[in-house]
């Protein structure tokens, strides 16, 4: 008489797949030794592993994957993807404005530039997109060339040290902080454009990261000092934008690489979110004052 378990019951019965009890099998996982049907096995360097063992191995690998100094996961490759993407976007925007204006040297004549560069009075009127779009505009080829070179030099290393997500946040929030400084303290009708504020944010972040890693900060301090002096002395540069980006970059880097952020990565991300909320609140207050 057949036992309740079917033909697999009893001492002489064939083993069955641990995931599919209705499938007798002569195969087994070479890692855990449990019987498994062909659908539940995957080729391995030695033998075959069951899907449960593979899932467990993936979880263990994720848990032991190295983290960056900011607590993020280390990318599987060493390519500065975010930095390269930002450079491409800036260059594409410059080319489009030059084509629209019909000139590389006077691309500021493009209607796209006038509609997207940063004018505090326009932000107060509700055109908040200018806080971000102005950071991707450049006036003339020298302006875009200098900023993109600086972005490449600073970004390719910081991106690898912080991780792609946190580097993206650093760049974006530094850009926002630069624009906020211009809105708060700048002339209401004076337009500002360029990625310089975000680049200054990277400079400030580099200083914080070097200090966190206990590396020589001298060259970084010298670079920042030279650029601040140039911001004071060269006409047409936005000193407020540069300093605003620098201060914001320092703050973002501090909350990412110090305190609980290293052991609890989400804490650093929440702190960056807090900085963004404060910046937006400052713009809102200033906009009300300008609109009054």
């Amino acid at each position: 008489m057949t036992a309740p378990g079917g033909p697999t019951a009893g001492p002489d019965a064939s083993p069955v797949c641990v995931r599919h009890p209705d499938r007798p099998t002569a195969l087994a996982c070479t890692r855990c030794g449990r019987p498994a049907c062909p659908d539940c096995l995957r080729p391995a360097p030695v033998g075959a592993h069951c899907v449960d063992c593979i899932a467990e191995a993936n979880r263990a690998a994720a848990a032991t994957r190295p983290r960056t100094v900011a607590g993020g996961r280390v990318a599987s490759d060493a390519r500065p993807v975010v930095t390269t993407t930002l450079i491409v976007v800036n260059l594409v925007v410059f080319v489009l404005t030059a084509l629209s204006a019909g000139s590389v040297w006077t691309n500021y004549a493009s209607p796209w530039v006038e509609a997207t560069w940063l004018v505090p009075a326009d932000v107060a009127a509700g055109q908040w997109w200018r806080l971000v779009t102005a950071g991707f505009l450049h006036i003339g080829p020298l302006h875009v060339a200098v900023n993109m070179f600086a972005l490449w030099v600073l970004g390719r290393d910081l991106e690898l040290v912080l991780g792609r997500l946190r580097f993206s946040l650093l760049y974006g929030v530094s850009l926002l902080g630069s624009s906020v400084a211009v809105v708060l303290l700048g002339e209401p009708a004076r337009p500002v454009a360029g990625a310089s504020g975000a680049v200054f944010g990277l400079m400030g972040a580099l200083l914080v990261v070097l200090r966190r890693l206990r590396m020589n900060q001298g060259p970084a301090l010298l670079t920042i000092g030279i650029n601040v002096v140039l911001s004071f002395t060269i006409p047409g540069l936005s000193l407020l934008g540069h300093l605003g980006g620098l201060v914001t970059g320092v703050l973002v880097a501090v909350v990412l690489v110090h305190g609980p952020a290293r052991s609890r990565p989400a804490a650093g991300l929440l702190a960056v979110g807090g900085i963004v909320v404060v910046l937006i609140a400052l713009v809102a207050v200033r906009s009300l004052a300008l609109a009054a």
Side-chain angles (χ1 to χ4, degrees):
M1 181 175 179
T2 303
T8 59
D12 297 328
S14 300
V16 296
C17 175
V18 294
R19 294 173 60 88
H20 302 97
D22 59 332
R23 300 182 186 179
T25 181
L27 304 175
C29 173
T30 54
R31 180 170 180 174
C32 67
R34 297 183 302 170
C37 67
D39 291 340
C40 294
L41 291 173
R42 301 291 182 270
V46 178
H49 293 171
C50 66
V51 291
D52 292 328
C53 285
I54 292 174
E56 181 182 353
N58 289 339
R59 287 192 296 268
T64 58
R65 186 175 172 183
R67 291 183 177 272
T68 67
V69 68
R73 299 292 186 186
V74 175
S76 57
D77 57 71
R79 295 178 299 166
V81 174
V82 177
T83 301
T84 303
T85 301
L86 288 170
I87 292 174
V88 170
V89 171
N90 277 277
L91 292 176
V92 168
V93 170
F94 177 77
V95 170
L96 290 176
T97 58
L99 291 175
S100 176
S103 171
V104 171
W105 298 99
T106 59
N107 67 307
Y108 54 83
S110 168
W112 293 356
V113 173
E114 185 177 353
T116 54
W117 59 9
L118 179 63
V119 181
D122 290 337
V123 174
Q127 299 177 16
W128 283 50
W129 64 81
R130 294 176 182 268
L131 295 169
V132 176
T133 55
F136 293 91
L137 293 174
H138 291 87
I139 309 305
L142 181 60
H143 189 199
V144 69
V146 170
N147 278 344
M148 292 307 99
F149 176 75
L151 173 54
W152 173 251
V153 171
L154 294 166
R156 59 183 179 180
D157 293 328
L158 275 173
E159 181 177 341
L160 298 180
V161 172
L162 296 177
R164 289 169 182 166
L165 172 61
R166 286 158 180 80
F167 175 77
S168 299
L169 290 174
L170 168 65
Y171 188 89
V173 180
S174 296
L175 189 159
L176 179 61
S178 170
S179 297
V180 170
V182 173
V183 171
L184 291 178
L185 303 172
E187 299 176 20
R190 181 186 177 186
V192 175
S196 306
V199 170
F200 266 77
L202 300 186
M203 292 183 194
L206 177 61
L207 186 63
V208 174
V209 169
L210 289 175
R211 181 178 178 83
R212 173 67 176 78
L213 296 175
R214 299 182 179 180
M215 298 176 66
N216 183 16
Q217 304 160 51
L221 284 170
L222 179 61
T223 301
I224 292 173
I226 291 174
N227 280 276
V228 169
V229 171
L230 292 176
S231 300
F232 274 102
T233 56
I234 298 179
L237 297 183
S238 176
L239 175 63
L240 289 173
H242 292 178
L243 295 181
L246 178 65
V247 172
T248 305
V250 169
L251 290 176
V252 171
V254 166
V255 300
L256 286 179
V257 304
H258 288 286
R262 185 66 179 87
S263 57
R264 290 181 291 165
L269 300 181
L270 289 173
V272 174
I275 293 174
V276 173
V277 171
V278 171
L279 291 174
I280 292 175
L282 290 173
V283 174
V285 172
R286 178 58 174 165
S287 296
L288 290 174
L290 290 175

